[in-house]
Amino acid sequence: MLGARQLACSLVALLIGCGGAGVESSREGCGDPGSHSELLGEHSCACEAGYVWCDEAGDSFECCLDQSGTTDGGSAPEPDAACDEALAESLLCVPDPSGDPGASVMWACNGTRWVEIDGYSSFACMADSFEFAYGCTTGPAFLCGYGPGSPCETEGYAGICVDEEIIDTCVWGRRTVDRCARLCGELQAFGAGFTGGACEEPVEGEPAVCVCS
């Protein structure tokens, strides 16, 4: 996985290029024997599959075995696209077949193979002043959200209308406080083809909902 220190430079490199001695020194030690890290193009560093950063120090590239139980050794859907030197540091999102953005996976080409970069969607959304990420779609494009972003059960969630435009509800398994117009139109969270929406106050015993239009 990439930490924020590497993601920042990687994102800048993709957009405008990243160069100079600072880049070289910032990744010194990446790929050293026993570090379980590897270079990702010219600007970034990633842990090998099954490993995570030992700490978040900006000058450390040591990766430790992932003991969280959430890493399953590469069962995430991998890209079908080729990866070579010409595509180094290219980004690709592989959506989950179920349509759940939270199960989508971001990959980066290191010049020879695709490397999974867990957490990149969150970094990209927060860099654009959003509060969390639902996930990514092909492009890649990032589905970003406002609100706590804490896990929630979409089915039966007791949503409320903050006002006639804003709803506090569960979207794609994340607690969301956002305008219905954005959820319906920009994110297409409740189906395709909508351009706007408003929050409808619930009848007794029913949660508030976005009425899309």
Side-chain angles (χ1 to χ4, degrees), residues 36-143:
H36 296 290
S37 61
E38 57 184 334
L39 292 173
L40 185 65
E42 297 181 359
H43 308 291
S44 303
C45 185
C47 289
E48 296 174 356
Y51 288 82
V52 295
W53 298 114
C54 294
D55 58 58
E56 289 300 319
D59 57 354
S60 173
F61 292 98
E62 293 288 331
C63 297
C64 296
L65 189 65
D66 186 359
Q67 303 288 349
S68 67
T70 59
T71 300
D72 49 20
S75 64
E78 297 188 14
D80 294 327
C83 171
D84 53 32
E85 289 186 9
L87 295 173
E89 296 197 32
S90 295
L91 296 176
L92 188 67
C93 173
V94 179
D96 186 77
S98 71
D100 176 12
S104 58
V105 181
M106 279 296 301
W107 298 84
C109 174
N110 70 357
T112 57
R113 66 183 182 87
W114 291 100
V115 178
E116 183 181 350
I117 45 175
D118 186 39
Y120 195 97
S121 295
S122 294
F123 174 84
C125 286
M126 293 176 72
D128 278 341
S129 300
F130 291 95
E131 294 172 314
F132 67 91
Y134 298 105
C136 64
T137 61
T138 53
F142 302 101
L143 300 173

